[in-house]
Amino acid sequence: MKEIAVLGSTGSIGTQTLDIVRRHSDKVKVKALASSKFSDILKNQIEEFKPKYVYVHHYETIPKDLIKHYNIIFLTGEEGLLHITDLFVDLYVVGISGIAGILPTYYILEHKKNLATANKEAIICLGEILKKHYKKIIPIDSEHSAIFQSLKGEDTKNIKKIILTASGGPFLNLPAEKFKDVTVEQALNHPKWKMGKKISIDSATLMNKGLEIIEAHYLFNVPYSKIDVLIHPQSIVHGMVEYIDGTVISNISNPDMRIPITYAISYPDRWEIDINPIDFGHIKTIEFLEPDYGKFPLLKLAKEIGEKGGAYPVVLTVADELAVNKFLSKKISFDKIPVLIQKVIEKVDFSTPKKLEDIIYIIEKTQEIFKQVEKEVL
Ligand code: MN3
Protein backbone atom coordinates (compact mmCIF):
# COMPACT_ATOMS: atom_id res chain seq x y z
CA MET A 1 0.00 0.00 0.00
CA LYS A 2 1.39 3.39 -1.04
CA GLU A 3 0.76 6.33 1.25
CA ILE A 4 0.60 9.77 -0.28
CA ALA A 5 0.18 13.37 0.79
CA VAL A 6 -1.80 15.61 -1.57
CA LEU A 7 -0.94 19.31 -1.41
CA GLY A 8 -3.39 21.58 -3.19
CA SER A 9 -6.03 18.89 -2.79
CA THR A 10 -9.06 20.99 -3.76
CA GLY A 11 -7.67 22.22 -7.10
CA SER A 12 -7.85 20.65 -10.53
CA ILE A 13 -4.81 18.35 -10.08
CA GLY A 14 -5.69 17.58 -6.44
CA THR A 15 -9.26 16.46 -7.11
CA GLN A 16 -8.16 14.34 -10.08
CA THR A 17 -5.46 12.77 -7.89
CA LEU A 18 -8.10 11.82 -5.35
CA ASP A 19 -10.26 10.34 -8.14
CA ILE A 20 -7.36 8.03 -8.89
CA VAL A 21 -6.93 7.16 -5.20
CA ARG A 22 -10.66 6.34 -5.04
CA ARG A 23 -10.32 3.99 -8.02
CA HIS A 24 -7.21 2.29 -6.68
CA SER A 25 -7.98 2.23 -2.96
CA ASP A 26 -6.43 -1.24 -2.73
CA LYS A 27 -3.06 0.23 -3.74
CA VAL A 28 -2.89 3.77 -2.42
CA LYS A 29 -4.19 5.76 0.51
CA VAL A 30 -4.10 9.36 1.63
CA LYS A 31 -2.15 10.25 4.73
CA ALA A 32 -2.33 14.02 4.44
CA LEU A 33 -4.19 16.76 2.61
CA ALA A 34 -3.31 20.42 2.29
CA SER A 35 -5.29 23.35 1.02
CA SER A 36 -5.06 27.10 1.09
CA LYS A 37 -8.38 27.43 2.93
CA PHE A 38 -11.14 25.30 4.40
CA SER A 39 -14.04 24.62 2.03
CA ASP A 40 -16.87 22.15 1.46
CA ILE A 41 -14.65 20.32 -1.03
CA LEU A 42 -11.95 19.88 1.62
CA LYS A 43 -14.57 18.82 4.18
CA ASN A 44 -15.86 16.12 1.84
CA GLN A 45 -12.32 14.98 1.09
CA ILE A 46 -11.57 14.71 4.82
CA GLU A 47 -14.69 12.63 5.40
CA GLU A 48 -14.06 10.35 2.45
CA PHE A 49 -10.30 9.82 2.62
CA LYS A 50 -9.81 10.15 6.40
CA PRO A 51 -6.29 11.60 6.35
CA LYS A 52 -4.26 11.71 9.53
CA TYR A 53 -2.98 15.24 8.84
CA VAL A 54 -4.62 18.27 7.26
CA TYR A 55 -2.74 21.49 6.60
CA VAL A 56 -4.80 24.64 6.04
CA HIS A 57 -2.89 27.82 5.19
CA HIS A 58 -5.72 30.15 6.26
CA TYR A 59 -6.44 28.38 9.53
CA GLU A 60 -9.15 30.86 10.52
CA THR A 61 -11.37 29.44 7.77
CA ILE A 62 -11.84 26.14 9.66
CA PRO A 63 -15.07 26.11 11.72
CA LYS A 64 -13.98 25.69 15.38
CA ASP A 65 -16.39 22.86 16.23
CA LEU A 66 -15.02 20.89 13.28
CA ILE A 67 -11.46 20.95 14.60
CA LYS A 68 -12.66 18.99 17.65
CA HIS A 69 -15.09 16.85 15.66
CA TYR A 70 -12.52 15.08 13.50
CA ASN A 71 -9.80 12.79 14.72
CA ILE A 72 -7.22 14.70 12.69
CA ILE A 73 -4.08 16.66 13.35
CA PHE A 74 -4.72 20.09 11.84
CA LEU A 75 -1.59 22.02 10.92
CA THR A 76 -0.91 25.59 9.84
CA GLY A 77 1.79 28.26 9.61
CA GLU A 78 5.53 27.84 9.14
CA GLU A 79 5.76 25.09 11.76
CA GLY A 80 2.81 23.24 10.24
CA LEU A 81 4.32 23.49 6.79
CA LEU A 82 7.61 22.03 8.04
CA HIS A 83 5.64 19.20 9.61
CA ILE A 84 3.34 18.41 6.66
CA THR A 85 6.34 18.28 4.28
CA ASP A 86 8.28 15.87 6.49
CA LEU A 87 5.89 12.93 6.91
CA PHE A 88 6.64 9.26 6.37
CA VAL A 89 4.86 8.91 3.04
CA ASP A 90 5.86 7.21 -0.20
CA LEU A 91 5.04 10.22 -2.32
CA TYR A 92 4.06 13.86 -2.16
CA VAL A 93 1.68 15.00 -4.89
CA VAL A 94 1.78 18.77 -5.36
CA GLY A 95 -1.05 20.33 -7.33
CA ILE A 96 -0.73 23.83 -5.89
CA SER A 97 -1.12 26.52 -8.55
CA GLY A 98 1.50 29.21 -9.10
CA ILE A 99 4.14 30.71 -6.83
CA ALA A 100 2.26 29.59 -3.69
CA GLY A 101 3.83 26.20 -4.42
CA ILE A 102 7.41 27.42 -3.95
CA LEU A 103 7.75 27.05 -0.16
CA PRO A 104 6.03 23.63 0.14
CA THR A 105 8.10 22.31 -2.79
CA TYR A 106 11.29 23.66 -1.24
CA TYR A 107 10.66 21.86 2.05
CA ILE A 108 9.57 18.59 0.43
CA LEU A 109 12.81 18.48 -1.57
CA GLU A 110 14.95 19.61 1.36
CA HIS A 111 13.38 16.80 3.40
CA LYS A 112 14.50 14.45 0.60
CA LYS A 113 11.01 13.13 -0.11
CA ASN A 114 9.69 11.69 -3.35
CA LEU A 115 7.78 14.34 -5.23
CA ALA A 116 5.26 14.21 -8.04
CA THR A 117 4.48 17.76 -9.02
CA ALA A 118 2.41 19.77 -11.44
CA ASN A 119 3.74 23.06 -10.05
CA LYS A 120 6.10 24.29 -12.76
CA GLU A 121 6.44 27.70 -11.10
CA ALA A 122 8.22 26.14 -8.10
CA ILE A 123 10.51 24.04 -10.30
CA ILE A 124 11.48 27.16 -12.25
CA CYS A 125 11.93 29.47 -9.26
CA LEU A 126 13.85 26.94 -7.16
CA GLY A 127 15.81 25.72 -10.18
CA GLU A 128 19.12 27.39 -9.41
CA ILE A 129 19.24 26.35 -5.77
CA LEU A 130 17.67 22.89 -5.80
CA LYS A 131 18.91 21.36 -9.07
CA LYS A 132 20.63 18.55 -7.20
CA HIS A 133 17.30 17.25 -5.84
CA TYR A 134 15.43 17.26 -9.14
CA LYS A 135 16.29 13.66 -9.94
CA LYS A 136 13.69 12.69 -7.33
CA ILE A 137 10.86 14.48 -9.13
CA ILE A 138 8.25 12.72 -11.21
CA PRO A 139 6.63 15.35 -13.41
CA ILE A 140 2.85 15.55 -13.70
CA ASP A 141 2.87 18.27 -16.34
CA SER A 142 1.78 16.20 -19.36
CA GLU A 143 4.65 17.18 -21.69
CA HIS A 144 7.23 16.52 -19.01
CA SER A 145 5.62 13.23 -18.08
CA ALA A 146 5.91 12.38 -21.78
CA ILE A 147 9.61 13.30 -21.85
CA PHE A 148 10.21 11.49 -18.55
CA GLN A 149 8.68 8.34 -20.03
CA SER A 150 10.54 8.75 -23.34
CA LEU A 151 13.83 9.00 -21.43
CA LYS A 152 13.28 5.87 -19.38
CA GLY A 153 16.35 3.67 -19.46
CA GLU A 154 18.23 6.12 -21.71
CA ASP A 155 21.36 8.10 -21.06
CA THR A 156 20.74 11.85 -21.31
CA LYS A 157 24.11 12.28 -23.07
CA ASN A 158 22.50 10.64 -26.12
CA ILE A 159 19.73 13.24 -26.41
CA LYS A 160 19.87 15.29 -29.58
CA LYS A 161 16.68 17.21 -28.97
CA ILE A 162 13.68 17.38 -26.66
CA ILE A 163 10.48 18.51 -28.36
CA LEU A 164 7.61 19.87 -26.28
CA THR A 165 4.28 20.06 -28.04
CA ALA A 166 1.70 22.81 -27.56
CA SER A 167 -1.95 22.68 -28.57
CA GLY A 168 -1.69 26.35 -29.50
CA GLY A 169 -4.44 27.31 -27.07
CA PRO A 170 -7.79 28.92 -27.86
CA PHE A 171 -6.29 31.72 -29.99
CA LEU A 172 -4.07 29.75 -32.34
CA ASN A 173 -6.04 31.01 -35.35
CA LEU A 174 -7.18 34.37 -34.00
CA PRO A 175 -5.39 37.38 -35.59
CA ALA A 176 -3.17 39.26 -33.10
CA GLU A 177 -5.13 42.49 -33.74
CA LYS A 178 -8.10 40.90 -32.00
CA PHE A 179 -6.20 40.03 -28.82
CA LYS A 180 -7.21 43.30 -27.19
CA ASP A 181 -10.89 42.30 -27.29
CA VAL A 182 -10.52 38.77 -25.96
CA THR A 183 -12.70 38.08 -22.90
CA VAL A 184 -11.68 36.17 -19.78
CA GLU A 185 -14.24 33.49 -20.62
CA GLN A 186 -12.81 33.01 -24.13
CA ALA A 187 -9.28 32.81 -22.78
CA LEU A 188 -10.29 30.22 -20.15
CA ASN A 189 -11.94 28.03 -22.76
CA HIS A 190 -9.06 25.77 -23.69
CA PRO A 191 -9.77 23.56 -26.71
CA LYS A 192 -8.06 20.40 -25.42
CA TRP A 193 -7.31 20.43 -21.70
CA LYS A 194 -9.45 21.03 -18.64
CA MET A 195 -7.22 22.95 -16.24
CA GLY A 196 -7.12 25.58 -13.52
CA LYS A 197 -7.50 29.28 -14.35
CA LYS A 198 -3.89 30.44 -14.15
CA ILE A 199 -2.55 27.72 -16.44
CA SER A 200 -5.45 28.18 -18.86
CA ILE A 201 -4.57 31.85 -19.36
CA ASP A 202 -0.89 30.92 -19.68
CA SER A 203 -1.91 28.46 -22.37
CA ALA A 204 -3.78 31.19 -24.25
CA THR A 205 -0.67 33.46 -24.29
CA LEU A 206 1.65 30.44 -24.85
CA MET A 207 3.56 31.56 -21.76
CA ASN A 208 2.70 28.12 -20.40
CA LYS A 209 4.87 26.54 -23.08
CA GLY A 210 7.59 29.09 -22.39
CA LEU A 211 7.57 28.18 -18.71
CA GLU A 212 7.63 24.52 -19.72
CA ILE A 213 10.87 25.07 -21.67
CA ILE A 214 12.51 26.31 -18.46
CA GLU A 215 10.85 23.51 -16.47
CA ALA A 216 12.28 20.92 -18.92
CA HIS A 217 15.74 22.50 -18.69
CA TYR A 218 15.81 22.06 -14.92
CA LEU A 219 14.03 18.70 -14.70
CA PHE A 220 16.09 16.92 -17.33
CA ASN A 221 19.31 18.95 -17.10
CA VAL A 222 19.32 19.61 -20.84
CA PRO A 223 20.65 22.87 -22.39
CA TYR A 224 18.13 25.28 -23.93
CA SER A 225 19.70 24.78 -27.36
CA LYS A 226 18.35 21.22 -27.27
CA ILE A 227 14.75 22.10 -26.29
CA ASP A 228 12.24 22.87 -29.05
CA VAL A 229 8.54 23.65 -29.17
CA LEU A 230 6.10 22.63 -31.88
CA ILE A 231 2.42 23.46 -32.18
CA HIS A 232 0.39 20.28 -32.39
CA PRO A 233 -3.33 21.15 -32.36
CA GLN A 234 -4.55 17.53 -31.96
CA SER A 235 -2.75 17.24 -28.59
CA ILE A 236 -2.12 13.51 -28.70
CA VAL A 237 1.68 13.55 -29.02
CA HIS A 238 2.74 15.12 -25.73
CA GLY A 239 6.49 15.14 -26.13
CA MET A 240 9.30 13.62 -28.15
CA VAL A 241 12.93 12.86 -27.55
CA GLU A 242 15.20 12.66 -30.55
CA TYR A 243 18.38 10.69 -29.94
CA ILE A 244 21.77 11.03 -31.62
CA ASP A 245 21.15 7.88 -33.68
CA GLY A 246 18.08 9.42 -35.31
CA THR A 247 15.55 7.49 -33.23
CA VAL A 248 12.62 9.45 -31.86
CA ILE A 249 10.76 8.15 -28.82
CA SER A 250 7.48 9.83 -28.08
CA ASN A 251 4.53 9.54 -25.76
CA ILE A 252 1.04 9.41 -27.23
CA SER A 253 -2.34 9.44 -25.49
CA ASN A 254 -5.62 11.25 -25.46
CA PRO A 255 -5.29 14.60 -23.67
CA ASP A 256 -6.44 13.78 -20.14
CA MET A 257 -4.50 14.84 -17.05
CA ARG A 258 -5.53 11.66 -15.25
CA ILE A 259 -3.00 9.78 -17.39
CA PRO A 260 0.14 11.63 -16.24
CA ILE A 261 -1.24 11.89 -12.68
CA THR A 262 -1.84 8.13 -12.52
CA TYR A 263 1.62 7.45 -13.89
CA ALA A 264 3.22 9.73 -11.31
CA ILE A 265 1.49 7.80 -8.51
CA SER A 266 1.85 4.28 -9.92
CA TYR A 267 5.46 4.75 -11.10
CA PRO A 268 7.39 2.57 -11.83
CA ASP A 269 4.30 0.38 -12.24
CA ARG A 270 1.29 1.22 -14.42
CA TRP A 271 -2.30 1.11 -13.22
CA GLU A 272 -5.52 0.73 -15.15
CA ILE A 273 -7.58 3.79 -15.86
CA ASP A 274 -10.81 3.91 -17.80
CA ILE A 275 -10.28 6.35 -20.56
CA ASN A 276 -11.12 6.35 -24.25
CA PRO A 277 -8.23 4.77 -26.14
CA ILE A 278 -6.94 6.56 -29.22
CA ASP A 279 -8.64 5.24 -32.33
CA PHE A 280 -5.59 5.26 -34.62
CA GLY A 281 -7.61 4.02 -37.60
CA HIS A 282 -9.66 7.19 -37.54
CA ILE A 283 -7.05 9.85 -36.94
CA LYS A 284 -7.10 11.88 -40.15
CA THR A 285 -4.40 14.42 -39.40
CA ILE A 286 -1.50 14.84 -37.05
CA GLU A 287 0.01 18.26 -37.59
CA PHE A 288 3.20 19.86 -36.28
CA LEU A 289 3.72 23.57 -36.92
CA GLU A 290 6.36 26.12 -35.95
CA PRO A 291 5.00 28.53 -33.33
CA ASP A 292 4.30 32.12 -34.36
CA TYR A 293 6.73 33.92 -32.06
CA GLY A 294 5.56 37.33 -33.23
CA LYS A 295 1.98 36.67 -32.29
CA PHE A 296 2.93 34.98 -29.01
CA PRO A 297 5.92 37.03 -27.76
CA LEU A 298 5.92 35.44 -24.31
CA LEU A 299 7.06 32.11 -25.72
CA LYS A 300 10.15 33.73 -27.20
CA LEU A 301 10.72 35.82 -24.09
CA ALA A 302 10.60 32.76 -21.83
CA LYS A 303 13.25 30.97 -23.85
CA GLU A 304 15.50 34.05 -23.75
CA ILE A 305 14.93 34.41 -20.02
CA GLY A 306 15.77 30.76 -19.47
CA GLU A 307 19.05 31.20 -21.31
CA LYS A 308 19.87 34.36 -19.33
CA GLY A 309 19.27 32.36 -16.15
CA GLY A 310 20.15 33.82 -12.77
CA ALA A 311 17.20 35.57 -11.14
CA TYR A 312 15.38 36.16 -14.43
CA PRO A 313 13.25 33.00 -14.48
CA VAL A 314 11.95 33.92 -11.00
CA VAL A 315 11.09 37.44 -12.14
CA LEU A 316 9.36 36.12 -15.25
CA THR A 317 7.28 33.66 -13.22
CA VAL A 318 6.18 36.26 -10.69
CA ALA A 319 5.46 39.00 -13.25
CA ASP A 320 3.42 36.54 -15.29
CA GLU A 321 1.31 35.44 -12.34
CA LEU A 322 0.58 39.05 -11.39
CA ALA A 323 -0.30 40.01 -14.96
CA VAL A 324 -2.55 36.96 -15.37
CA ASN A 325 -4.37 37.85 -12.14
CA LYS A 326 -4.91 41.39 -13.43
CA PHE A 327 -6.44 39.98 -16.59
CA LEU A 328 -8.59 37.47 -14.68
CA SER A 329 -9.96 40.29 -12.51
CA LYS A 330 -10.64 42.25 -15.71
CA LYS A 331 -8.23 45.10 -14.82
CA ILE A 332 -6.22 44.74 -18.04
CA SER A 333 -6.90 43.54 -21.56
CA PHE A 334 -5.41 40.29 -22.84
CA ASP A 335 -2.86 42.04 -25.10
CA LYS A 336 -1.43 43.92 -22.09
CA ILE A 337 -0.22 40.75 -20.36
CA PRO A 338 3.06 40.55 -22.35
CA VAL A 339 3.52 44.33 -22.20
CA LEU A 340 3.48 44.36 -18.39
CA ILE A 341 5.78 41.36 -18.09
CA GLN A 342 8.30 42.78 -20.56
CA LYS A 343 8.41 46.14 -18.71
CA VAL A 344 8.98 44.45 -15.35
CA ILE A 345 11.88 42.44 -16.76
CA GLU A 346 13.48 45.58 -18.23
CA LYS A 347 13.55 47.15 -14.76
CA VAL A 348 15.20 44.40 -12.73
CA ASP A 349 18.80 43.64 -11.93
CA PHE A 350 19.19 40.92 -9.30
CA SER A 351 22.11 38.64 -8.66
CA THR A 352 21.69 34.87 -9.01
CA PRO A 353 19.76 33.41 -6.05
CA LYS A 354 21.81 31.07 -3.88
CA LYS A 355 19.34 30.27 -1.11
CA LEU A 356 15.61 30.38 -0.38
CA GLU A 357 15.82 33.85 1.21
CA ASP A 358 17.25 35.24 -2.05
CA ILE A 359 14.29 33.86 -3.98
CA ILE A 360 11.79 35.30 -1.51
CA TYR A 361 13.57 38.67 -1.77
CA ILE A 362 13.38 38.57 -5.59
CA ILE A 363 9.67 37.69 -5.45
CA GLU A 364 8.86 40.57 -3.08
CA LYS A 365 10.90 43.10 -5.05
CA THR A 366 9.31 41.96 -8.31
CA GLN A 367 5.87 42.46 -6.77
CA GLU A 368 6.84 46.06 -5.89
CA ILE A 369 8.23 46.73 -9.36
CA PHE A 370 5.08 45.29 -10.90
CA LYS A 371 2.95 47.84 -9.02
CA GLN A 372 5.07 50.72 -10.40
CA VAL A 373 4.96 49.35 -13.93
CA GLU A 374 1.22 48.85 -13.73
CA LYS A 375 0.77 52.56 -13.00
CA GLU A 376 2.97 53.50 -15.94
CA VAL A 377 1.30 51.21 -18.44
CA LEU A 378 -2.38 51.65 -17.50
MN1 MN3 B 1 1.74 21.12 -19.79
Side-chain angles (χ1 to χ4, degrees), residues 13-303:
I13 297 292
T15 51
Q16 292 182 83
T17 299
L18 293 173
D19 278 344
I20 291 150
V21 173
R22 188 179 293 123
R23 207 165 294 214
H24 292 283
S25 56
D26 55 327
K27 296 195 271 299
V28 58
K29 69 176 191 184
V30 174
K31 188 163 188 176
L33 295 173
S35 180
S36 147
K37 57 184 191 303
F38 195 84
S39 60
D40 286 342
I41 306 174
L42 183 64
K43 184 169 179 276
N44 292 338
Q45 291 177 345
I46 289 171
E47 285 170 4
E48 180 178 358
F49 295 98
K50 301 188 171 42
K52 192 167 173 203
Y53 301 91
V54 173
Y55 176 92
V56 179
H57 184 71
H58 295 285
Y59 199 72
E60 69 285 358
T61 57
I62 312 175
K64 291 225 163 43
D65 50 321
L66 271 178
I67 298 183
K68 281 173 263 160
H69 177 73
Y70 294 119
N71 188 19
I72 286 174
I73 301 167
F74 279 101
L75 301 166
T76 194
E78 177 81 9
E79 205 181 315
L81 188 60
L82 283 167
H83 192 166
I84 200 88
T85 54
D86 201 11
L87 302 173
F88 285 102
V89 289
D90 297 285
L91 184 70
Y92 278 88
V93 179
V94 171
I96 300 166
S97 166
I99 56 175
I102 292 175
L103 220 47
T105 304
Y106 177 83
Y107 289 129
I108 290 166
L109 291 172
E110 278 284 294
H111 292 145
K112 301 189 167 49
K113 304 292 176 182
N114 296 317
L115 170 63
T117 183
N119 186 257
K120 60 185 65 118
E121 291 85 351
I123 292 172
I124 295 166
C125 292
L126 296 171
E128 287 300 326
I129 63 168
L130 282 184
K131 268 183 199 164
K132 61 184 187 294
H133 293 311
Y134 279 10
K135 283 191 205 84
K136 297 200 78 158
I137 298 178
I138 304 168
I140 290 177
D141 200 349
S142 60
E143 299 78 3
H144 303 74
S145 175
I147 302 300
F148 182 81
Q149 296 183 56
S150 303
L151 285 170
K152 216 169 161 184
E154 301 287 345
D155 194 324
T156 50
K157 77 174 198 308
N158 295 329
I159 297 173
K160 192 171 172 198
K161 197 157 268 184
I162 281 179
I163 299 162
L164 304 171
T165 57
S167 71
F171 307 133
L172 178 61
N173 298 312
L174 189 76
E177 310 85 79
K178 301 222 162 134
F179 278 10
K180 63 182 190 328
D181 303 319
V182 155
T183 66
V184 170
E185 293 68 30
Q186 287 168 329
L188 286 175
N189 188 20
H190 196 273
K192 292 288 174 188
W193 296 95
K194 271 196 287 179
M195 303 178 291
K197 284 186 181 178
K198 197 260 172 179
I199 184 171
S200 294
I201 302 305
D202 280 342
S203 297
T205 61
L206 289 202
M207 173 58 112
N208 182 51
K209 209 52 53 182
L211 295 175
E212 287 181 357
I213 294 174
I214 307 174
E215 181 186 10
H217 165 77
Y218 284 123
L219 280 179
F220 307 118
N221 195 19
V222 168
Y224 287 100
S225 58
K226 291 187 178 179
I227 306 172
D228 269 2
V229 168
L230 286 175
I231 303 293
H232 166 50
Q234 293 77 24
S235 293
I236 56 171
V237 178
H238 305 297
M240 301 186 255
V241 181
E242 184 185 342
Y243 290 94
I244 50 172
D245 65 356
T247 298
V248 178
I249 300 183
S250 79
N251 175 278
I252 300 175
S253 70
N254 271 323
D256 189 319
M257 282 311 293
R258 288 176 302 159
I259 299 176
I261 298 171
T262 305
Y263 186 71
I265 301 171
S266 69
Y267 176 82
D269 200 0
R270 289 189 186 271
W271 294 348
E272 258 185 54
I273 135 168
D274 56 46
I275 193 156
N276 292 336
I278 293 183
D279 185 356
F280 282 99
H282 286 89
I283 296 176
K284 294 210 176 62
T285 42
I286 295 190
E287 298 166 284
F288 296 101
L289 319 157
E290 287 292 336
D292 184 340
Y293 291 97
K295 190 168 140 183
F296 297 105
L298 289 177
L299 178 59
K300 187 159 171 264
L301 178 69
K303 191 159 181 169

